Amino acid sequence: MLYLQTFIDALMIGGVYSVIAVGLSLIFGVMRVINWSHGESLMVSMLIALYMNQYTPLDPYVIMLIVGAVMFVYGYVLQSVVISRILSRETDREPISCLLFTAGLGMVMSYSVQIIFGSKQVMAQTKYNGRALHMGDLVVSLPKLIAFIIAVVAVAALWTFLQKSEYGRAIRATSQNRSVATLMGISEKRVYSVSFAIGTMLVGLAGGMLIPYFSVYPTVGSVFSNKSFIIVVLGGKGSVPGALLGGLIVGLIEKFGALFFSESVAQIIVFLMFIAILLFKPTGLLSKDKG
Amino acid sequence: MKKFLAIILTLAMALSLVACGGDKPEESAKPEESAKTEESAKTEESSGADVYKIGVVLPMTGGSARMGELQYEGMKLFAEHYNEAIGGIQSLGGAKIELVLADSTGDPATGASEAERLINNEKVDALAGPYNSSVGAVMQPIAEKYGVPFTVTNCTADNVQMTEGELKYTFRPNHSNSSNVGAILDCLAFLQEKDSSVDLSSFAIIYENTDWGNSCVDTYAAALEAAGYEMKICESFESGSADFSTIVNKIKNSGAGFIMPCMYVSDAVLFMNQYTEYGLDNALIWAGGGILTDDFITSVGDLANNQITLNGWCVDTMAESNDPELCDWLSERCKEDTGSELNENVANGWIGVATLIQAVEDAGTKDKDAVAAAMKALDLGRDSLALLLHAYEGIKMGEKETWDGSGVMQNQNIYSAGIMTQIVDGQIRQIYPDWSGNPLVWPVA
Amino acid sequence: MIDKKKLLTPKNILVTVVLLILALLPIFPTTGAYAIQLTCLTMLFIYWASAYNIIGGFAGHTSLGHACYVGIGAYVAVMLYLYGGISPWIGMFIAGIVAAVIAGIIGYVTFHMRGSYYTLSSVALLNCFRIAMAASKEIFGFKTGGAVGLKISWMGESVSGMQFVSKVPFYYIFLVFMILCVLLCWYIKNSKMGYYLAAITTNQDAASSLGVNIMQYKLMALCSSAFLMALGGAVYAFFLTSIDPLSMFNYDTSARIMLMTVVGGLGTLWGPVLGAALLVPLNEWMRASFGARLSGLSFVIYGIILMLVVMFLPKGLVSLKDKYEKRRYEKQQAKEVAVKEASVHE
């Protein structure tokens, strides 16, 4: 029973990791850009959701949708106005400038929040806090379950969008071969902006779904971003099913590692696995090439 | 051209020198102005005669920021009261107490460099702080090296008051981890006797992987084991990243009698929520930390009720105070300034600075060695202003053995002791030592 | 080979003057202890930024986890001193070698990664080290202090134990380190290794097809960089007298070092020097003047500076000099043309 409980917990937390990582993966896959401020974007989303929850009577999951929309706009604007300028200067090599720029941006976001709001760790008060479903001996936390369901739905929706819709195909084409896609008439800049925006939107949704059970403080982003980086590499950059699988795997290692050893050891195992993947299958678990 | 570059380089160096060398001319002028006390002419390192500067190192940002803020409030209110109601340090001709605040961010290296800056640049007469045991452990050798009186506030790890040679300048008026051991063991025995249906013979300890968390294990868990309690689970976690579901599961399956969490606010809130979610029913005996703040109570609401914790102070400790009006004033001001009720942090800030100032009064001079000697010689009773909030029998610095006799703490207030408290109706109330008339909910249903 | 005329350029003379000032600074009576401390830290970061530049700039591998070598250096030196009684003067070199060996292994394993992947792995490794050191109470039977860390108790002055009341001895150590490191970087840049690294950075595949042993040169760069970082870390540990996993394997320190190098000019000789010389005093000054409440402000400024530099001055502040020279040259050309035209019309 203990194992089943651990398994369920692992899946639920893995699902949330996935939805955060998949945005990063998409951006990395399409634009070859690592958004180093991904974690801080999550923190800001959580902050907005927290305040909206405190001052408006809206249901936290409605707030989540609003924050998602806000973050979509933010990502779109950030990319089209700022990042595209930097990107256009890069050669075909991995764009380190974007990494550095977003690292600076992340620093500004995190420390500004600390100055303005202080470092207090605040937990949102919602009607879902502490509630759980009891199925015999099993306990399933309600806010985590809802987060898991939304996360999986979001990832599935994204995948469908990429596979079936016109825009989605344009995005996939660009990620496979930038120059050819442009020749085919696809606006590279537009694709980038939409991809980036989708990435930040997913982070916005994640922020909204986390607040019923996760505290908000200026450096909360780094907890998730470190894991996101690992998941992106694990699943293969640009791969949506890869990010989902990667998130679940990280969740499982964390929980079962903690069960058999301890939380700290579990963290180390996750990092070691990351190194192993980089060594043996750097293009990700689900990719077909040998990297 | 190349000159341009060299100019920038020189400017940068010059800027850095100006930035820190700037205020020196003023400092050297001050001692000449004041002819009041001979001492200030002797020690060129001290501030002007009308001010007694205390350098305060506290975490104003970072995970313990709230506790740092509350501790500073205690110190600030003392300085304000002493300067206005009493008129400053009497034996120094009414010198005002001035607090110079520096942020340690909870990090030892930052705390150390801020302490050095306070000593060398701000020329403070004494140091106070720093709440975090890890920072205190680093500040102690600095205070000893430069010979600056250092009153330790909170910072309960035993090792802060331990060193190989003689500790001359570092003093701790409030309680230590070792002194808490007695309170825990006695309280557990008391509770077990009160209702033997609750099995308290085994425990699970969960601690954050920091200096404080580890010192909790080294002191409390070790002491409990030595006293015959069975340690079923001993797990650490990374503060802030926690999802306690696995630990909570393990505890559920372990059959431990009680759980002792050692964590700060956000982790405590998360743990409380998950404990409730998973329907655990083990007794909870907290080791202090985040549960001592208002924020915990407001964050978890009703769940906070009936939580038992180690504490240094609570409102009942203040009940026998010799100046209830002053206590009311403190309560009001604290609420106004910080939005929080009085708590252990505020009280420890008060007692720390008050004890130091009493020593300065006794010494009659700002000279650091004299003040340190006065601290050593202190023997305050219940009527002292320093003991306004606490219920200690007195304040007297001496040697105290650690709980297992393996080491000796120096300059520790021998009357200091921890207490056990329980949150009842959203308020922290003392349950041990047993004060008659205090509410106690046991067993916790 | 050394041309006397080339050596006596205005820049070199000025640099020598600055160094002389630095060397004599502690002796001036008006220099306070705080100025000494500040200059110590500045020199240390100049040293570290230059060391970082070897792998980050010359070899083109942007690592954000370089602080792990600082941590290794600190722990090895402190543990050797506490448990083996080995003086830090010797201990620091041992620490450097240990770091270089570990770096060699890490490099061998991670160098096939390019760009962002490499950066990710460097951060993952840093986190790994930090958590491992925090979680383990001992290594090979010697206590590491876990999350609490280790403390060097004050037992009086000792030259062999690097225990001093004043910071002045450390000042001179850092000064010497800084000078030697910058000289080393200058040497590397103008040596065969430097040329090969430059080729590898520009176009790795072309370089390898020309027969350059990529792995060898990258490893040389990383190992020397790690050795230097650890050396600095060892002395820093004795400067602080207390170490713990969070402050020694610190991501913020890594980010700051990278930032200084990038802002100054990645891959250049004076870039790291300039970056550190500007940003470290800025940080300390802000902390001292704005105090407790706004202590995060310096990082906000750091972030803004980084963003501005990446946007407008991608080659770093040293490139300002080139732009200035270029403009002067163009102005000169325009002048000459105008003079010529004027003389033609006469």
Side-chain angles (χ1 to χ4, degrees):
Chain A
M1 219 8 110
L2 184 60
Y3 296 138
L4 186 57
Q5 177 76 67
T6 310
F7 183 71
I8 292 178
D9 290 331
L11 281 188
M12 293 203 295
I13 209 150
V16 176
Y17 289 160
S18 301
V19 82
I20 297 171
V22 78
L24 191 65
S25 186
L26 188 66
I27 298 174
F28 195 24
V30 174
M31 300 166 64
R32 309 278 187 275
V33 166
I34 286 271
N35 178 10
W36 209 259
S37 61
H38 203 68
E40 281 77 20
S41 311
L42 177 67
M43 183 269 296
V44 169
S45 313
M46 287 173 81
L47 199 64
I48 299 175
L50 181 73
Y51 276 96
M52 286 189 74
N53 180 60
Q54 208 171 339
Y55 294 115
T56 68
L58 296 168
D59 183 273
Y61 296 105
V62 170
I63 293 175
M64 175 192 77
L65 293 172
I66 299 176
V67 174
V70 166
M71 291 308 283
F72 183 91
V73 173
Y74 161 75
Y76 195 93
V77 169
L78 182 66
Q79 209 298 116
S80 34
V81 170
V82 178
I83 296 191
S84 54
R85 281 191 62 183
I86 305 174
L87 208 55
S88 61
R89 275 196 328 233
E90 289 293 326
T91 60
D92 274 347
R93 284 187 302 135
E94 306 279 346
I96 285 290
S97 300
C98 284
L99 190 152
L100 295 176
F101 181 84
T102 51
L105 182 62
M107 245 186 249
V108 172
M109 283 163 98
S110 164
Y111 285 93
S112 305
V113 166
Q114 185 175 285
I115 293 176
I116 301 175
F117 297 100
S119 338
K120 261 170 64 159
Q121 296 176 327
V122 185
M123 178 80 99
Q125 300 298 315
T126 72
K127 55 180 187 270
Y128 301 95
N129 287 21
R131 280 175 51 187
L133 301 175
H134 294 265
M135 305 189 291
D137 257 347
L138 284 178
V139 178
V140 179
S141 154
L142 190 59
K144 278 195 202 157
L145 181 64
I146 300 179
F148 175 69
I149 296 174
I150 298 178
V152 170
V153 165
V155 172
L158 177 65
W159 191 74
T160 319
F161 169 75
L162 287 176
Q163 294 293 114
K164 311 281 184 205
S165 85
E166 179 107 14
Y167 237 109
R169 277 185 294 198
I171 293 177
R172 280 191 299 132
T174 312
S175 78
Q176 279 170 7
N177 195 321
R178 205 184 295 188
S179 7
V180 171
T182 322
L183 287 174
M184 299 286 200
I186 297 176
S187 158
E188 189 191 34
K189 186 167 173 188
R190 185 80 76 80
V191 164
Y192 284 176
S193 299
V194 172
S195 311
F196 203 92
I198 293 178
T200 46
M201 174 186 77
L202 289 169
V203 156
L205 292 177
M209 66 177 94
L210 278 173
I211 55 164
Y213 65 91
F214 217 94
S215 299
V216 185
Y217 50 97
T219 50
V220 72
S222 62
V223 169
F224 290 96
S225 65
N226 283 329
K227 296 198 222 283
S228 298
F229 295 146
I230 294 177
I231 295 171
V232 166
V233 171
L234 191 54
K237 64 177 193 277
S239 162
V240 172
L244 184 62
L245 185 64
L248 296 176
I249 291 179
V250 169
L252 285 169
I253 295 182
E254 271 189 7
K255 290 293 149 218
F256 279 98
L259 184 65
F260 294 128
F261 307 106
S262 77
E263 296 269 335
S264 307
V265 173
Q267 296 291 324
I268 298 177
I269 298 179
V270 171
F271 282 121
L272 289 178
M273 178 207 58
F274 176 63
I275 307 286
I277 293 289
L278 285 176
L279 281 180
F280 301 117
K281 202 122 193 336
T283 48
L285 286 177
L286 291 187
S287 77
K288 292 170 192 97
D289 34 290
K290 288 240 176 89
Chain B
M1 57 177 83
K2 296 151 196 179
K3 262 197 197 159
F4 185 72
L5 192 62
I7 293 174
I8 294 215
L9 215 69
T10 327
L11 270 176
M13 301 279 181
L15 188 75
S16 59
L17 294 176
V18 167
C20 43
D23 33 11
K24 249 171 289 300
E26 298 169 37
E27 300 251 5
S28 47
K30 268 201 189 143
E32 272 136 56
E33 287 173 348
S34 54
K36 274 191 176 181
T37 39
E38 332 148 4
E39 290 77 24
S40 47
K42 253 199 297 187
T43 52
E44 342 98 53
E45 299 279 305
S46 72
S47 48
D50 47 342
V51 164
Y52 187 79
K53 264 184 170 182
I54 305 181
V56 176
V57 179
L58 282 173
M60 302 312 278
T61 58
S64 355
R66 183 61 163 159
M67 282 73 106
E69 187 189 346
L70 290 168
Q71 189 131 90
Y72 185 58
E73 182 69 14
M75 298 182 185
K76 218 173 59 175
L77 289 175
F78 177 82
E80 197 183 303
H81 168 76
Y82 209 82
N83 285 343
E84 286 163 26
I86 300 190
I89 304 180
Q90 299 304 296
S91 71
L92 289 182
K96 301 286 188 232
I97 305 171
E98 185 186 313
L99 300 176
V100 184
L101 180 62
D103 185 7
S104 70
T105 74
D107 167 50
T110 313
S113 83
E114 287 297 279
E116 298 228 0
R117 183 177 68 80
L118 287 169
I119 295 175
N120 292 312
N121 209 43
E122 298 285 341
K123 305 273 193 269
V124 297
D125 299 302
L127 289 172
Y131 179 77
N132 307 89
S133 294
S134 59
V135 182
V138 172
M139 278 176 72
Q140 180 234 77
I142 294 176
E144 296 296 311
K145 185 159 83 176
Y146 289 101
V148 176
F150 174 29
T151 179
V152 177
T153 59
N154 257 89
C155 215
T156 54
D158 292 342
N159 66 346
V160 177
Q161 296 299 121
M162 291 166 70
T163 188
E164 294 211 4
E166 188 200 338
L167 211 57
K168 297 197 192 141
Y169 299 89
T170 313
F171 299 88
R172 182 163 60 195
N174 59 239
H175 68 291
S176 62
N177 276 359
S178 273
S179 67
N180 282 333
V181 169
I184 299 178
L185 290 176
D186 289 344
C187 183
L188 280 171
F190 165 70
L191 290 173
Q192 185 79 94
E193 212 189 276
K194 191 154 167 51
D195 189 332
S196 53
S197 67
V198 181
D199 172 33
L200 291 174
S201 60
S202 59
F203 68 100
I205 181 165
I206 314 169
Y207 61 104
E208 59 165 35
N209 201 6
T210 64
D211 57 297
W212 173 63
N214 278 281
S215 70
C216 286
V217 172
D218 291 339
T219 323
Y220 307 142
L224 283 167
E225 279 192 301
Y229 291 84
E230 188 195 342
M231 181 163 80
K232 292 224 160 147
I233 293 190
C234 180
E235 290 259 335
S236 74
F237 64 91
E238 296 293 313
S239 168
S241 70
D243 170 55
F244 291 105
S245 47
T246 318
I247 292 183
V248 165
N249 267 319
K250 277 199 210 179
I251 294 177
K252 204 173 177 185
N253 281 273
S254 71
F258 67 93
I259 309 173
M260 178 173 276
C262 313
M263 38 183 89
Y264 283 136
V265 183
S266 75
D267 300 318
V269 168
L270 189 61
F271 180 76
M272 203 63 239
N273 279 321
Q274 295 196 309
Y275 170 94
T276 318
E277 264 177 54
Y278 284 81
L280 261 63
D281 57 6
N282 321 64
L284 282 169
I285 311 276
W286 298 72
I291 195 176
L292 303 180
T293 63
D294 257 12
D295 303 349
F296 175 79
I297 301 178
T298 44
S299 292
V300 302
D302 284 338
L303 293 180
N305 277 328
N306 306 330
Q307 297 307 313
I308 295 179
T309 176
L310 262 176
N311 210 328
W313 184 91
C314 73
V315 288
D316 294 304
T317 321
M318 199 170 61
E320 295 212 342
S321 165
N322 43 31
D323 195 341
E325 255 180 51
L326 185 54
C327 293
D328 286 338
W329 176 76
L330 281 177
S331 251
E332 263 173 50
R333 280 298 305 276
C334 186
K335 191 81 193 202
E336 237 176 73
D337 295 342
T338 67
S340 161
E341 302 289 340
L342 291 180
N343 80 339
E344 180 201 50
N345 304 123
V346 182
N348 285 341
W350 176 279
I351 198 177
V353 175
T355 311
L356 173 69
I357 296 299
Q358 185 59 53
V360 178
E361 289 279 18
D362 287 350
T365 164
K366 284 199 280 189
D367 175 59
K368 301 186 173 73
D369 292 328
V371 171
M375 281 283 259
K376 267 219 194 246
L378 273 180
D379 194 352
L380 303 174
R382 286 284 318 146
D383 54 340
S384 151
L385 185 59
L387 285 171
L388 176 78
L389 299 168
H390 284 270
Y392 305 151
E393 274 171 50
I395 299 182
K396 189 174 160 76
M397 303 299 171
E399 286 189 358
K400 242 190 168 185
E401 266 194 359
T402 57
W403 70 272
D404 58 357
S406 64
V408 174
M409 298 183 281
Q410 300 179 51
N411 300 343
Q412 171 68 43
N413 180 8
I414 60 178
Y415 296 111
S416 62
I419 60 175
M420 300 292 289
T421 61
Q422 186 175 37
I423 300 178
V424 181
D425 290 331
Q427 256 214 324
I428 304 179
R429 307 298 303 275
Q430 182 164 335
I431 59 167
Y432 190 87
D434 190 22
W435 284 42
S436 57
N438 268 21
L440 167 65
V441 180
W442 190 262
V444 173
Chain C
M1 278 248 304
I2 299 181
D3 186 353
K4 215 176 187 181
K5 237 190 192 163
K6 263 193 180 169
L7 272 189
L8 285 175
T9 60
K11 174 165 122 189
N12 287 359
I13 295 179
L14 211 76
V15 168
T16 321
V17 168
V18 169
L19 286 179
L20 269 175
I21 296 179
L22 281 180
L24 296 175
L25 201 65
I27 307 179
F28 289 163
T30 56
T31 313
Y34 186 61
I36 305 269
Q37 165 120 350
L38 178 62
T39 323
C40 272
L41 281 176
T42 311
M43 294 193 291
L44 178 62
F45 273 93
I46 293 179
Y47 168 80
W48 271 338
S50 301
Y52 172 78
N53 201 16
I54 300 177
I55 182 70
F58 296 165
H61 269 278
T62 322
S63 155
L64 269 175
H66 227 53
C68 67
Y69 302 117
V70 170
I72 293 174
Y75 268 92
V76 170
V78 171
M79 285 176 77
L80 283 175
Y81 177 67
L82 288 179
Y83 303 125
I86 298 179
S87 158
W89 297 100
I90 303 174
M92 66 185 185
F93 287 104
I94 301 179
I97 295 175
V98 169
V101 167
I102 295 180
I105 302 172
I106 293 176
Y108 188 73
V109 156
T110 57
F111 271 147
H112 66 93
M113 287 181 266
R114 313 292 295 276
S116 310
Y117 273 122
Y118 182 78
T119 316
L120 288 180
S121 68
S122 70
V123 175
L125 276 165
L126 177 66
N127 283 326
C128 207
F129 269 108
R130 192 193 73 238
I131 296 182
M133 287 308 287
S136 56
K137 298 284 174 87
E138 43 177 56
I139 287 187
F140 305 129
F142 295 107
K143 288 206 170 142
T144 60
V148 186
L150 296 168
K151 191 174 82 161
I152 304 174
S153 304
W154 172 255
M155 289 203 281
E157 291 236 4
S158 144
V159 178
S160 69
M162 266 199 205
Q163 301 285 298
F164 309 107
V165 175
S166 109
K167 300 285 182 206
V168 175
F170 284 110
Y171 181 95
Y172 284 112
I173 299 176
F174 288 138
L175 180 64
V176 169
F177 272 22
M178 175 184 81
I179 297 175
L180 290 179
C181 188
V182 175
L183 277 175
L184 182 67
C185 287
W186 174 82
Y187 177 74
I188 292 178
K189 193 154 197 258
N190 294 317
S191 73
K192 185 172 80 169
M193 177 170 145
Y195 288 143
Y196 283 157
L197 284 176
I200 294 172
T201 317
T202 318
N203 194 328
Q204 184 162 316
D205 303 316
S208 109
S209 68
L210 285 174
V212 177
N213 187 338
I214 313 276
M215 185 55 85
Q216 177 193 340
Y217 285 101
K218 280 191 184 178
L219 278 180
M220 279 168 71
L222 182 62
C223 292
S224 34
S225 179
F227 179 84
L228 292 168
M229 296 294 287
L231 215 64
V235 180
Y236 187 54
F238 282 85
F239 180 78
L240 291 177
T241 69
S242 107
I243 58 174
D244 64 278
L246 187 58
S247 33
M248 287 298 121
F249 292 99
N250 191 316
Y251 171 74
D252 280 343
T253 310
S254 253
R256 280 175 76 189
I257 295 173
M258 179 275 291
L259 198 143
M260 288 171 200
T261 316
V262 168
V263 165
L266 203 60
T268 68
L269 185 61
W270 294 103
V273 178
L274 192 58
L278 281 175
L279 293 178
V280 175
L282 180 68
N283 182 31
E284 296 294 309
W285 176 73
M286 295 202 79
R287 202 171 62 187
S289 19
F290 290 108
R293 304 290 166 171
L294 294 178
S295 65
L297 194 59
S298 56
F299 271 96
V300 173
I301 308 259
Y302 272 14
I304 295 177
I305 293 178
L306 180 60
M307 290 198 287
L308 289 174
V309 164
V310 168
M311 281 274 275
F312 301 115
L313 269 183
K315 294 224 166 48
L317 285 175
V318 287
S319 66
L320 274 177
K321 154 193 139 189
D322 292 329
K323 288 197 177 173
Y324 175 70
E325 267 184 1
K326 188 167 153 199
R327 248 215 276 143
R328 240 184 72 128
Y329 180 70
E330 282 170 1
K331 266 197 190 156
Q332 185 118 7
Q333 289 291 80
K335 239 196 205 167
E336 280 175 16
V337 167
V339 166
K340 260 198 203 147
E341 291 201 341
S343 63
V344 162
H345 284 301
E346 265 164 18

